[in-house]
Amino acid sequence: QVQLVESGGGSVQAGGSLRLSCAASGNTYLYAFMGWFRQAPGKEREGVAFIYESTTYYADSVTGRFTISQDNAKNTVYLQMNSLKPEDTAMYYCAAGAGWYSRSSWAEAWKYNYWGQGTQVTVSS
């Protein structure tokens, strides 16, 4: 099994920044790629960012504002969020998976076998 623990959420004003972290532990060889998802109240979970080695993908809504990165030595993935907007308010989850992916399919939640408990991000106007 793989355990994922997110941290770094909080409340910020619009235009501010936050950096989320996701630390993986356990049998980390069981996954290959990682992603960040978010879910706002009353909305479906959506993919925010993806990383596999040097490949990264982003949702259109966060491109240019969010950056995903990883520290393999620490088994940790980060999501740097800049220029935050009220519509970024959501619970943010990290997830890990293995297998096939593509630019058009990375955000499909079923591809991810392991999920964290989430960290809340609230952006006020």
Side-chain angles (χ1 to χ4, degrees), residues 2-24:
V2 176
Q3 293 77 45
L4 303 175
V5 179
E6 303 97 333
S7 61
S11 297
V12 296
Q13 290 190 327
S17 298
L18 283 173
R19 189 176 83 153
L20 305 183
S21 299
C22 174

Side-chain angles (χ1 to χ4, degrees), residues 1-118:
Q1 286 292 338
V2 176
Q3 293 77 45
L4 303 175
V5 179
E6 303 97 333
S7 61
S11 297
V12 296
Q13 290 190 327
S17 298
L18 283 173
R19 189 176 83 153
L20 305 183
S21 299
C22 174
S25 61
N27 299 322
T28 56
Y29 63 87
L30 290 175
Y31 69 87
F33 52 77
M34 296 192 75
W36 284 98
F37 289 75
R38 66 186 180 186
Q39 187 167 20
K43 294 188 177 181
E44 293 186 355
R45 187 171 298 190
E46 63 171 344
V48 174
F50 166 98
I51 188 166
Y52 171 64
E53 295 185 347
S54 61
T55 298
T56 58
Y57 300 128
Y58 298 92
D60 290 344
S61 59
V62 306
T63 297
R65 300 188 298 121
F66 291 11
T67 302
I68 190 171
S69 62
Q70 62 186 7
D71 184 333
N72 291 328
K74 296 182 179 179
N75 291 322
T76 300
V77 172
Y78 305 96
L79 185 68
Q80 178 66 44
M81 305 187 295
N82 298 329
S83 302
L84 283 161
K85 304 175 180 180
E87 50 264 45
D88 294 318
T89 294
M91 184 71 79
Y92 282 71
Y93 301 89
C94 74
W100 182 80
Y101 68 89
S102 70
R103 180 179 295 275
S104 62
S105 68
W106 65 268
E108 295 174 0
W110 65 268
K111 290 184 176 293
Y112 298 79
N113 306 101
Y114 307 102
W115 292 81
Q117 293 300 307

